[in-house]
Amino acid sequence: MNREITALQNLISEIDDARIFFREIAGRFNQPFPKRLLARVAQTHVAIAEDLADRVRAGGEEPARTGGKWRGLRLRYADLHARFALDPELDRMLSAERREARVVRCFDDALLHGDVRIRRRLQLHKRELERAHNEIGLMVHAMTGARQAHA
């Protein structure tokens, strides 16, 4: 059970980190569609993290809900990178896509090395995260196409 709790805590931290990242960068978009998409993905993260946190609480521990220790650095890097990009909004969306891919990879690792008792729950959540990652990828594709049309 202790190993399971540790794995869940790591997933919660990663999800919370991404949620905070998405909420922060969503406010930096001028277009409404990326803002709404990132806000919706952040809400998905809230629901998943709460479900995992309930599991941790059931194991007798209180989950940390502050995100990872690198959260601020990742956000500053994304801001700095976008500042020098030709299309800052596209660059921010690419950062969001990379961030969501990282969350999906963390779930992959947890499924490979995780406890059988929580595998089904993690698989369900992973599908939701993959859907969110695909939606962000489609937004990147649309923004890239719009940028090329204006060039």
Side-chain angles (χ1 to χ4, degrees), residues 25-146:
I25 68 166
R28 292 170 172 87
F29 282 92
N30 294 322
Q31 300 175 25
F33 299 115
K35 282 183 182 187
R36 285 196 295 257
L37 173 60
L38 293 179
R40 192 171 70 245
V41 172
Q43 277 307 115
T44 299
H45 288 176
V46 168
I48 292 171
E50 260 316 302
D51 182 51
L52 298 179
D54 287 344
R55 180 73 180 183
V56 170
R57 284 186 205 98
E61 293 193 32
E62 189 59 33
R65 297 300 307 272
T66 58
K69 59 185 173 187
W70 301 104
R71 180 186 76 239
L73 184 61
R74 285 187 184 114
L75 186 58
R76 284 192 294 276
Y77 176 78
D79 281 341
L80 182 65
H81 201 271
R83 186 175 296 149
F84 294 106
L86 293 174
D87 185 343
E89 293 200 347
L90 175 58
D91 193 74
R92 285 187 188 98
M93 192 54 71
L94 286 165
S95 292
E97 184 179 31
R98 286 188 298 271
R99 189 70 196 89
E100 192 67 5
R102 180 180 166 88
V103 173
V104 171
R105 279 193 311 274
C106 287
F107 268 76
D108 285 338
D109 289 344
L111 284 165
L112 280 175
H113 307 293
D115 195 305
V116 166
R117 294 174 287 184
I118 62 167
R119 194 166 285 156
R120 182 182 305 272
R121 177 173 276 152
L122 294 180
Q123 287 171 335
L124 291 172
H125 291 319
K126 182 182 173 224
R127 276 189 231 130
E128 293 176 61
L129 294 168
E130 286 173 332
R131 184 174 31 251
H133 181 251
N134 289 338
E135 289 176 5
I136 293 170
L138 289 171
M139 180 66 70
V140 166
H141 184 72
M143 292 171 81
T144 303

